[in-house]
Amino acid sequence: MHRVLITGAGGGIGRGLRETLRGVYPILRLSDRVAIAPARDGEEVDQTELADMAAVEKMVAGCDGIVHLGGISGENSWEKILEGNIVGLYNTFEAARRAGVKRVVMATSNHAVGFYPRAQTIDHRVVPRPDSRYGVSKAFSEALASLYSDKHGIGFLCVRIGNYGDRPIDSRRLSIWVSPRDLTQLVRIGLEHPDVRYEIVYGVSNNKRSWYDNANAYRLGYRPEDDSEPQAAAVLAAEAGRDKDPIAEKYQGGTFCAEDYDAPTERAS
Ligand code: 15L
């Protein structure tokens, strides 16, 4: 990997990876739809709208690997999801194919499988159960990655990211938190591991309260260093006595499941 492109480089994960991947590859090309901090040594900065195919082709030119974080990162209107996460995603993968890119690390999400109950442990082989239009777009990204792997030979690591940050911010995130250094480790596996063809893994730390069997990540050598558990007592104490939505509490996707939920309540049992 000589030049690695990070799309969505202005977002929270993008800004984090800009630091933790600094110096790991000779050149990091950092792209976003909005202006971001100027390039330092070993960096190139780019501003591209993912829905614009000609611009996306320029963004991807000369890159060996891509970390695709770009697009909409939460629930939104269908029009915005369509533009950023369906059209923009297609443009990025298609431009990668045309440019001969070898590897893509795809930031998919826990929300592609958010309607699995918290009582169930799921692995990388479960069928998608999206909890939102956003989750559907992430399931689409996994399907498009599968096509571009099988048909065009691009290696994809699809990382179903939980919640990225310095610490778990609430009780749900105790189960899905991923620390910056653990996510960085997974991204490097995706870009560098010789056997990656098409893989789904969970982007979570070694959380004691995890809902995931992340065996596929471990098989690829992932050895997470962090666990949310030391934060658990404080996080739970801060939530004590708070009213909680039963649908959000039942399913892994939390409030993404509860929003607009109007199925008969017996279906939720
Ligand atoms: C995600 O996929 C989002 O990008 C992030 O903003 C959080 O909502 C996260 O999931 C989560 O589930 O906490």
Coordinates of all heavy atoms in Angstrom, one line a residue, residues 155-235:
G155 N -10.4 -6.9 -3.0 CA -10.5 -7.4 -1.6 C -11.3 -6.4 -0.7 O -10.9 -5.3 -0.7
F156 N -12.3 -7.0 0.0 CA -13.1 -6.1 0.8 C -13.1 -6.6 2.3 O -13.4 -7.8 2.5 CB -14.5 -6.1 0.4 CG -14.8 -5.2 -0.8 CD1 -14.7 -5.7 -2.1 CD2 -15.2 -3.9 -0.6 CE1 -15.0 -4.8 -3.2 CE2 -15.4 -3.0 -1.7 CZ -15.3 -3.5 -3.0
L157 N -12.8 -5.7 3.2 CA -13.1 -6.0 4.6 C -14.3 -5.1 5.0 O -14.1 -3.9 5.0 CB -11.9 -5.7 5.5 CG -12.2 -6.1 7.0 CD1 -12.1 -7.7 7.1 CD2 -11.2 -5.5 7.9
C158 N -15.5 -5.7 5.2 CA -16.7 -4.9 5.6 C -16.7 -4.9 7.1 O -16.9 -6.0 7.8 CB -17.9 -5.6 5.1 SG -18.0 -5.5 3.3
V159 N -16.5 -3.8 7.7 CA -16.4 -3.7 9.2 C -17.8 -3.1 9.7 O -18.1 -1.9 9.5 CB -15.3 -2.8 9.6 CG1 -15.1 -2.8 11.2 CG2 -14.0 -3.2 9.0
R160 N -18.5 -3.9 10.4 CA -19.8 -3.5 11.0 C -19.4 -2.7 12.3 O -19.4 -3.3 13.3 CB -20.7 -4.6 11.3 CG -21.4 -5.2 10.0 CD -22.3 -6.4 10.3 NE -22.9 -6.9 9.1 CZ -23.4 -8.1 9.0 NH1 -23.4 -9.0 10.0 NH2 -23.9 -8.5 7.8
I161 N -19.2 -1.4 12.1 CA -18.7 -0.7 13.2 C -19.8 -0.5 14.3 O -21.0 -0.3 14.0 CB -18.2 0.7 12.7 CG1 -17.1 0.5 11.7 CG2 -17.7 1.6 13.9 CD1 -16.6 1.8 11.1
G162 N -19.4 -0.6 15.5 CA -20.3 -0.4 16.6 C -20.4 1.1 16.9 O -21.0 1.8 16.2
N163 N -19.8 1.5 18.0 CA -19.7 2.9 18.3 C -18.3 3.3 18.7 O -17.7 2.8 19.6 CB -20.7 3.2 19.5 CG -20.8 4.7 19.7 OD1 -20.1 5.3 20.5 ND2 -21.6 5.4 18.9
Y164 N -17.7 4.2 17.9 CA -16.3 4.6 18.0 C -16.1 5.8 18.9 O -16.9 6.7 18.8 CB -15.9 5.0 16.5 CG -14.5 5.6 16.4 CD1 -13.4 4.7 16.2 CD2 -14.3 6.9 16.5 CE1 -12.1 5.3 16.0 CE2 -13.0 7.5 16.3 CZ -11.9 6.7 16.1 OH -10.7 7.2 15.9
G165 N -15.2 5.7 19.8 CA -14.9 6.8 20.6 C -13.9 6.5 21.7 O -13.5 5.3 21.9
D166 N -13.6 7.5 22.5 CA -12.6 7.2 23.6 C -13.1 6.3 24.7 O -12.4 5.7 25.4 CB -12.1 8.5 24.1 CG -11.2 9.3 23.1 OD1 -10.6 8.6 22.3 OD2 -11.2 10.5 23.2
R167 N -14.5 6.4 24.9 CA -15.1 5.6 25.9 C -16.5 5.3 25.5 O -17.1 6.0 24.7 CB -15.0 6.3 27.3 CG -15.7 7.6 27.4 CD -15.3 8.3 28.6 NE -13.9 8.6 28.7 CZ -13.3 9.6 28.1 NH1 -14.0 10.4 27.3 NH2 -12.0 9.8 28.2
P168 N -17.1 4.2 26.1 CA -18.5 4.0 25.9 C -19.4 5.0 26.5 O -19.2 5.4 27.7 CB -18.8 2.6 26.5 CG -17.7 2.5 27.6 CD -16.5 3.3 27.1
I169 N -20.4 5.5 25.7 CA -21.1 6.7 26.2 C -22.5 6.4 26.9 O -23.1 7.2 27.5 CB -21.4 7.7 25.1 CG1 -22.0 7.1 23.9 CG2 -20.1 8.4 24.7 CD1 -22.4 8.0 22.7
D170 N -22.9 5.1 26.8 CA -24.2 4.7 27.5 C -24.2 3.2 27.6 O -23.3 2.5 27.1 CB -25.4 5.3 26.8 CG -25.6 4.8 25.3 OD1 -25.0 3.8 25.0 OD2 -26.3 5.5 24.6
S171 N -25.3 2.7 28.1 CA -25.3 1.2 28.4 C -25.3 0.4 27.1 O -24.6 -0.6 27.1 CB -26.5 0.8 29.3 OG -27.7 1.3 28.7
R172 N -26.0 0.9 26.1 CA -26.0 0.1 24.8 C -24.6 0.1 24.3 O -24.1 -0.9 23.8 CB -27.0 0.8 23.8 CG -26.9 0.2 22.5 CD -28.0 0.8 21.5 NE -27.7 0.4 20.2 CZ -26.9 1.1 19.4 NH1 -26.5 2.3 19.7 NH2 -26.6 0.7 18.2
R173 N -23.9 1.2 24.4 CA -22.5 1.2 23.8 C -21.5 0.4 24.6 O -20.4 0.1 24.1 CB -22.1 2.7 23.7 CG -22.4 3.4 22.4 CD -23.9 3.4 22.1 NE -24.3 4.2 20.9 CZ -24.9 5.4 21.0 NH1 -25.4 5.9 22.2 NH2 -25.2 6.1 19.9
L174 N -21.9 0.0 25.8 CA -21.0 -1.0 26.5 C -20.8 -2.2 25.7 O -19.8 -2.9 25.8 CB -21.5 -1.3 27.9 CG -21.6 -0.2 28.9 CD1 -22.3 -0.6 30.2 CD2 -20.1 0.2 29.3
S175 N -21.9 -2.6 24.9 CA -21.8 -3.8 24.1 C -21.2 -3.6 22.8 O -20.7 -4.6 22.2 CB -23.2 -4.4 24.0 OG -23.8 -4.7 25.2
I176 N -21.1 -2.4 22.3 CA -20.7 -2.2 20.9 C -19.6 -1.2 20.7 O -19.2 -0.8 19.6 CB -21.9 -1.8 20.0 CG1 -22.4 -0.4 20.3 CG2 -23.0 -2.8 20.0 CD1 -23.4 0.2 19.3
W177 N -19.0 -0.8 21.8 CA -17.9 0.2 21.7 C -16.7 -0.3 21.0 O -16.3 -1.5 21.1 CB -17.6 0.6 23.2 CG -16.4 1.6 23.3 CD1 -16.3 2.8 22.8 CD2 -15.1 1.3 23.9 NE1 -15.1 3.4 23.1 CE2 -14.4 2.5 23.8 CE3 -14.6 0.2 24.6 CZ2 -13.1 2.6 24.3 CZ3 -13.3 0.3 25.1 CH2 -12.6 1.5 25.0
V178 N -16.1 0.6 20.3 CA -14.7 0.3 19.7 C -13.8 1.4 20.0 O -14.2 2.6 19.7 CB -14.8 -0.1 18.2 CG1 -15.3 1.1 17.3 CG2 -13.4 -0.6 17.7
S179 N -12.6 1.1 20.5 CA -11.7 2.2 20.8 C -10.9 2.6 19.5 O -10.8 1.8 18.5 CB -10.7 1.7 21.8 OG -9.9 0.6 21.3
P180 N -10.4 3.7 19.5 CA -9.6 4.2 18.3 C -8.5 3.2 17.9 O -8.3 2.8 16.7 CB -9.0 5.5 18.7 CG -10.1 6.1 19.6 CD -10.6 4.9 20.4
R181 N -7.8 2.7 18.9 CA -6.6 1.8 18.5 C -7.1 0.4 18.0 O -6.5 -0.2 17.1 CB -5.6 1.6 19.6 CG -6.1 1.0 20.9 CD -5.0 0.9 21.9 NE -5.5 0.4 23.2 CZ -4.8 0.2 24.3 NH1 -3.5 0.5 24.2 NH2 -5.3 -0.2 25.4
D182 N -8.3 -0.1 18.5 CA -8.8 -1.3 18.0 C -9.3 -1.2 16.6 O -9.1 -2.1 15.8 CB -9.9 -1.9 19.0 CG -9.3 -2.4 20.3 OD1 -8.0 -2.7 20.3 OD2 -10.0 -2.6 21.3
L183 N -10.0 -0.1 16.4 CA -10.5 0.1 15.0 C -9.4 0.3 14.0 O -9.4 -0.3 12.9 CB -11.5 1.3 14.9 CG -12.2 1.3 13.5 CD1 -13.1 0.1 13.2 CD2 -12.9 2.6 13.3
T184 N -8.3 0.9 14.4 CA -7.1 1.1 13.6 C -6.5 -0.3 13.2 O -6.2 -0.5 12.1 CB -6.1 2.0 14.3 OG1 -6.7 3.2 14.6 CG2 -4.9 2.2 13.4
Q185 N -6.5 -1.1 14.2 CA -6.0 -2.5 14.0 C -6.8 -3.2 12.9 O -6.2 -3.8 12.0 CB -6.0 -3.3 15.3 CG -5.2 -4.5 15.3 CD -5.4 -5.4 16.5 OE1 -5.6 -6.6 16.3 NE2 -5.5 -4.9 17.7
L186 N -8.1 -3.1 13.0 CA -9.0 -3.8 12.0 C -8.8 -3.2 10.6 O -8.7 -3.9 9.7 CB -10.4 -3.6 12.4 CG -11.0 -4.7 13.4 CD1 -12.4 -4.3 13.7 CD2 -11.0 -6.1 12.7
V187 N -8.7 -1.8 10.6 CA -8.5 -1.2 9.3 C -7.2 -1.7 8.6 O -7.1 -2.0 7.4 CB -8.5 0.3 9.4 CG1 -8.0 1.0 8.2 CG2 -9.9 0.8 9.8
R188 N -6.1 -1.8 9.5 CA -4.9 -2.3 8.9 C -4.9 -3.7 8.4 O -4.3 -4.1 7.4 CB -3.7 -2.1 10.0 CG -3.4 -0.6 10.2 CD -2.1 -0.5 10.9 NE -1.0 -1.0 10.1 CZ 0.3 -1.0 10.5 NH1 0.6 -0.5 11.7 NH2 1.2 -1.5 9.8
I189 N -5.7 -4.5 9.2 CA -5.9 -5.9 8.7 C -6.6 -5.9 7.3 O -6.2 -6.6 6.4 CB -6.8 -6.7 9.7 CG1 -5.9 -7.0 11.0 CG2 -7.3 -8.0 9.1 CD1 -6.7 -7.6 12.2
G190 N -7.6 -5.0 7.2 CA -8.3 -4.9 5.9 C -7.4 -4.5 4.8 O -7.6 -5.0 3.7
L191 N -6.5 -3.6 5.0 CA -5.6 -3.1 4.0 C -4.5 -4.1 3.7 O -4.0 -4.1 2.6 CB -5.1 -1.7 4.3 CG -6.2 -0.6 4.3 CD1 -5.6 0.7 4.9 CD2 -6.7 -0.3 2.9
E192 N -4.0 -4.8 4.7 CA -2.7 -5.5 4.6 C -2.8 -7.0 4.6 O -1.9 -7.7 4.1 CB -1.8 -5.1 5.7 CG -1.5 -3.6 5.7 CD -0.8 -3.1 7.0 OE1 -0.1 -3.9 7.7 OE2 -1.0 -1.9 7.4
H193 N -3.8 -7.6 5.2 CA -3.8 -9.1 5.3 C -3.9 -9.7 4.0 O -4.8 -9.4 3.2 CB -5.0 -9.5 6.2 CG -4.9 -10.9 6.7 ND1 -5.0 -12.0 5.8 CD2 -4.8 -11.4 7.9 CE1 -4.9 -13.1 6.6 NE2 -4.7 -12.8 7.8
P194 N -3.0 -10.7 3.7 CA -3.0 -11.3 2.4 C -4.2 -12.1 2.0 O -4.5 -12.2 0.8 CB -1.7 -12.2 2.4 CG -1.4 -12.4 3.8 CD -1.9 -11.2 4.6
D195 N -5.0 -12.6 2.9 CA -6.1 -13.4 2.6 C -7.5 -12.8 2.4 O -8.5 -13.4 2.3 CB -6.2 -14.6 3.6 CG -5.0 -15.4 3.7 OD1 -4.3 -15.4 2.7 OD2 -4.7 -16.0 4.8
V196 N -7.5 -11.4 2.5 CA -8.8 -10.8 2.5 C -9.4 -10.8 1.1 O -8.8 -10.2 0.2 CB -8.7 -9.3 3.1 CG1 -10.0 -8.6 2.7 CG2 -8.5 -9.4 4.6
R197 N -10.5 -11.5 0.9 CA -11.2 -11.4 -0.4 C -12.5 -10.7 -0.2 O -12.8 -9.6 -0.7 CB -11.5 -12.8 -0.9 CG -10.2 -13.5 -1.4 CD -10.4 -15.0 -1.6 NE -11.5 -15.2 -2.6 CZ -11.2 -15.5 -3.8 NH1 -10.0 -15.7 -4.3 NH2 -12.2 -15.7 -4.7
Y198 N -13.4 -11.3 0.6 CA -14.6 -10.7 1.0 C -14.9 -11.1 2.5 O -15.2 -12.3 2.7 CB -15.8 -11.0 0.1 CG -17.1 -10.4 0.7 CD1 -17.4 -9.0 0.5 CD2 -18.0 -11.2 1.4 CE1 -18.5 -8.5 1.0 CE2 -19.2 -10.6 1.9 CZ -19.4 -9.3 1.7 OH -20.6 -8.7 2.3
E199 N -14.8 -10.2 3.4 CA -15.0 -10.6 4.8 C -15.9 -9.6 5.5 O -15.8 -8.4 5.2 CB -13.7 -10.6 5.5 CG -12.6 -11.5 4.9 CD -12.9 -13.0 5.0 OE1 -13.8 -13.4 5.7 OE2 -12.2 -13.7 4.3
I200 N -16.8 -10.1 6.4 CA -17.5 -9.2 7.3 C -17.0 -9.5 8.7 O -16.8 -10.6 9.1 CB -19.0 -9.6 7.2 CG1 -19.6 -9.2 5.9 CG2 -19.8 -8.9 8.4 CD1 -21.1 -9.5 5.7
V201 N -16.7 -8.4 9.4 CA -16.3 -8.5 10.8 C -17.0 -7.4 11.6 O -17.6 -6.5 11.0 CB -14.8 -8.3 11.0 CG1 -14.0 -9.4 10.3 CG2 -14.3 -6.9 10.5
Y202 N -17.0 -7.5 12.9 CA -17.6 -6.5 13.7 C -16.5 -5.6 14.2 O -15.5 -6.0 14.8 CB -18.4 -7.1 14.9 CG -19.6 -7.8 14.4 CD1 -19.6 -9.2 14.0 CD2 -20.8 -7.1 14.2 CE1 -20.8 -9.8 13.5 CE2 -22.0 -7.7 13.7 CZ -21.9 -9.0 13.3 OH -23.1 -9.6 12.8
G203 N -16.8 -4.3 14.1 CA -15.8 -3.3 14.5 C -16.1 -2.9 16.0 O -16.7 -1.9 16.3
V204 N -15.7 -3.8 16.9 CA -16.0 -3.6 18.3 C -14.7 -4.0 19.1 O -13.9 -4.9 18.6 CB -17.2 -4.5 18.8 CG1 -18.5 -3.9 18.2 CG2 -17.0 -5.9 18.5
S205 N -14.5 -3.5 20.3 CA -13.4 -3.9 21.1 C -13.8 -5.2 21.8 O -14.8 -5.8 21.5 CB -13.2 -2.8 22.2 OG -12.5 -1.7 21.5
N206 N -12.9 -5.7 22.7 CA -13.1 -7.0 23.3 C -14.1 -6.8 24.5 O -13.7 -7.0 25.7 CB -11.8 -7.5 23.8 CG -11.8 -8.9 24.4 OD1 -12.7 -9.7 24.0 ND2 -10.9 -9.1 25.3
N207 N -15.3 -6.3 24.2 CA -16.2 -6.0 25.3 C -16.8 -7.2 25.9 O -17.4 -8.1 25.3 CB -17.4 -5.1 24.7 CG -16.9 -3.9 24.0 OD1 -15.9 -3.2 24.5 ND2 -17.4 -3.5 22.9
K208 N -16.8 -7.2 27.3 CA -17.4 -8.4 28.0 C -18.9 -8.5 27.7 O -19.4 -9.6 27.6 CB -17.2 -8.1 29.5 CG -17.6 -9.2 30.4 CD -17.3 -8.9 31.8 CE -18.0 -9.9 32.7 NZ -18.6 -9.3 33.9
R209 N -19.6 -7.4 27.5 CA -21.0 -7.4 27.2 C -21.4 -7.5 25.7 O -22.5 -7.2 25.3 CB -21.7 -6.2 27.8 CG -21.5 -6.1 29.3 CD -21.9 -4.8 29.9 NE -21.5 -4.7 31.3 CZ -22.3 -4.6 32.3 NH1 -23.6 -4.5 32.1 NH2 -21.8 -4.6 33.5
S210 N -20.4 -7.9 24.9 CA -20.7 -7.9 23.4 C -21.9 -8.8 23.0 O -22.1 -9.8 23.7 CB -19.4 -8.4 22.7 OG -19.6 -8.4 21.3
W211 N -22.6 -8.4 22.0 CA -23.6 -9.2 21.4 C -23.1 -10.0 20.2 O -23.9 -10.6 19.4 CB -24.8 -8.3 20.9 CG -25.4 -7.5 22.0 CD1 -25.7 -8.0 23.2 CD2 -25.8 -6.1 22.0 NE1 -26.3 -7.0 24.0 CE2 -26.3 -5.8 23.2 CE3 -25.7 -5.1 21.0 CZ2 -26.8 -4.6 23.6 CZ3 -26.2 -3.9 21.3 CH2 -26.7 -3.6 22.6
Y212 N -21.8 -9.9 19.9 CA -21.3 -10.4 18.7 C -20.3 -11.6 18.9 O -19.5 -11.5 19.9 CB -20.5 -9.3 17.9 CG -21.3 -8.1 17.7 CD1 -20.9 -6.9 18.1 CD2 -22.6 -8.2 17.0 CE1 -21.7 -5.7 17.9 CE2 -23.3 -7.0 16.8 CZ -22.9 -5.8 17.3 OH -23.6 -4.7 17.1
D213 N -20.4 -12.6 18.1 CA -19.3 -13.6 18.0 C -18.4 -13.1 16.8 O -18.8 -13.2 15.6 CB -19.9 -14.9 17.6 CG -18.9 -16.0 17.2 OD1 -17.7 -15.6 17.2 OD2 -19.3 -17.1 17.0
N214 N -17.3 -12.5 17.2 CA -16.4 -11.8 16.2 C -15.3 -12.8 15.8 O -14.2 -12.3 15.5 CB -15.9 -10.5 16.8 CG -15.6 -9.5 15.8 OD1 -15.9 -9.6 14.6 ND2 -15.0 -8.4 16.2
A215 N -15.6 -14.1 15.7 CA -14.6 -15.1 15.3 C -13.9 -14.8 14.0 O -12.7 -15.1 13.8 CB -15.3 -16.5 15.3
N216 N -14.7 -14.2 13.1 CA -14.0 -14.0 11.7 C -12.9 -12.9 11.8 O -11.9 -13.0 11.2 CB -15.1 -13.5 10.7 CG -14.7 -13.8 9.3 OD1 -14.0 -14.8 9.1 ND2 -15.1 -12.9 8.4
A217 N -13.1 -11.9 12.7 CA -12.1 -11.0 12.9 C -10.9 -11.6 13.6 O -9.7 -11.4 13.2 CB -12.6 -9.8 13.7
Y218 N -11.1 -12.4 14.6 CA -10.0 -13.1 15.3 C -9.3 -14.0 14.4 O -8.0 -14.1 14.4 CB -10.6 -13.9 16.5 CG -11.0 -13.0 17.6 CD1 -12.3 -12.4 17.7 CD2 -10.1 -12.6 18.6 CE1 -12.7 -11.6 18.7 CE2 -10.5 -11.7 19.6 CZ -11.8 -11.2 19.7 OH -12.1 -10.3 20.7
R219 N -10.0 -14.7 13.5 CA -9.4 -15.6 12.5 C -8.4 -14.8 11.6 O -7.3 -15.3 11.2 CB -10.5 -16.2 11.6 CG -10.0 -17.2 10.6 CD -11.1 -17.7 9.7 NE -11.7 -16.6 8.9 CZ -11.2 -16.2 7.7 NH1 -10.0 -16.7 7.3 NH2 -11.7 -15.2 7.1
L220 N -8.7 -13.5 11.4 CA -7.8 -12.7 10.5 C -6.7 -12.0 11.4 O -5.9 -11.2 10.9 CB -8.6 -11.6 9.8 CG -9.6 -12.2 8.7 CD1 -10.5 -11.1 8.3 CD2 -8.8 -12.7 7.5
G221 N -6.6 -12.4 12.6 CA -5.5 -11.9 13.5 C -5.9 -10.8 14.4 O -5.0 -10.2 15.1
Y222 N -7.1 -10.3 14.4 CA -7.5 -9.2 15.3 C -7.3 -9.6 16.7 O -7.8 -10.6 17.2 CB -9.0 -8.9 15.0 CG -9.6 -7.7 15.8 CD1 -8.9 -6.5 15.9 CD2 -10.9 -7.9 16.3 CE1 -9.5 -5.4 16.6 CE2 -11.5 -6.8 17.0 CZ -10.8 -5.6 17.1 OH -11.4 -4.5 17.8
R223 N -6.7 -8.7 17.5 CA -6.4 -8.9 18.9 C -6.7 -7.6 19.6 O -5.8 -6.8 19.9 CB -5.0 -9.4 19.2 CG -4.6 -10.7 18.6 CD -5.2 -11.9 19.2 NE -4.9 -13.1 18.5 CZ -5.6 -13.7 17.5 NH1 -6.7 -13.1 17.1 NH2 -5.2 -14.8 17.0
P224 N -8.0 -7.3 19.9 CA -8.4 -6.1 20.5 C -7.8 -5.9 21.8 O -7.7 -6.8 22.6 CB -9.9 -6.1 20.5 CG -10.3 -7.6 20.5 CD -9.2 -8.2 19.6
E225 N -7.4 -4.6 22.1 CA -6.7 -4.4 23.4 C -7.6 -3.8 24.5 O -7.3 -3.6 25.6 CB -5.6 -3.4 23.1 CG -4.5 -3.9 22.2 CD -3.4 -2.9 21.9 OE1 -2.6 -2.7 22.8 OE2 -3.4 -2.3 20.9
D226 N -8.8 -3.4 24.0 CA -9.7 -2.6 25.0 C -11.0 -3.4 25.2 O -11.5 -4.2 24.4 CB -10.0 -1.2 24.4 CG -8.7 -0.4 24.4 OD1 -8.1 -0.3 25.5 OD2 -8.3 0.0 23.3
D227 N -11.6 -3.1 26.4 CA -12.9 -3.6 26.8 C -13.7 -2.5 27.5 O -13.1 -1.8 28.3 CB -12.6 -4.8 27.8 CG -13.8 -5.5 28.4 OD1 -14.9 -5.0 28.2 OD2 -13.6 -6.5 29.1
S228 N -14.9 -2.4 27.3 CA -15.7 -1.3 27.9 C -16.0 -1.6 29.4 O -16.4 -0.6 30.1 CB -17.1 -1.2 27.2 OG -17.8 -2.4 27.4
E229 N -15.7 -2.8 29.9 CA -16.2 -3.1 31.2 C -15.7 -2.2 32.4 O -16.5 -1.9 33.3 CB -15.8 -4.6 31.5 CG -16.6 -5.3 32.6 CD -18.1 -5.2 32.3 OE1 -18.6 -5.0 31.2 OE2 -18.9 -5.3 33.3
P230 N -14.5 -1.8 32.3 CA -14.0 -0.8 33.4 C -14.9 0.4 33.5 O -15.0 1.0 34.6 CB -12.6 -0.5 33.1 CG -12.1 -1.6 32.2 CD -13.3 -2.1 31.5
Q231 N -15.6 0.8 32.5 CA -16.5 2.0 32.5 C -17.9 1.6 32.9 O -18.8 2.5 33.0 CB -16.6 2.6 31.1 CG -15.2 2.8 30.4 CD -14.4 3.9 31.0 OE1 -15.0 4.8 31.5 NE2 -13.1 3.7 31.0
A232 N -18.2 0.3 33.0 CA -19.6 -0.1 33.1 C -20.3 0.5 34.3 O -21.5 1.0 34.2 CB -19.7 -1.6 33.1
A233 N -19.7 0.4 35.5 CA -20.4 0.8 36.7 C -20.8 2.3 36.6 O -21.9 2.7 36.9 CB -19.5 0.6 37.9
A234 N -19.9 3.1 36.1 CA -20.2 4.6 36.0 C -21.3 4.8 35.0 O -22.2 5.6 35.2 CB -18.9 5.3 35.6
V235 N -21.2 4.1 33.8 CA -22.2 4.3 32.8 C -23.6 3.9 33.3 O -24.6 4.6 33.1 CB -21.8 3.5 31.5 CG1 -22.9 3.4 30.5 CG2 -20.6 4.1 30.8

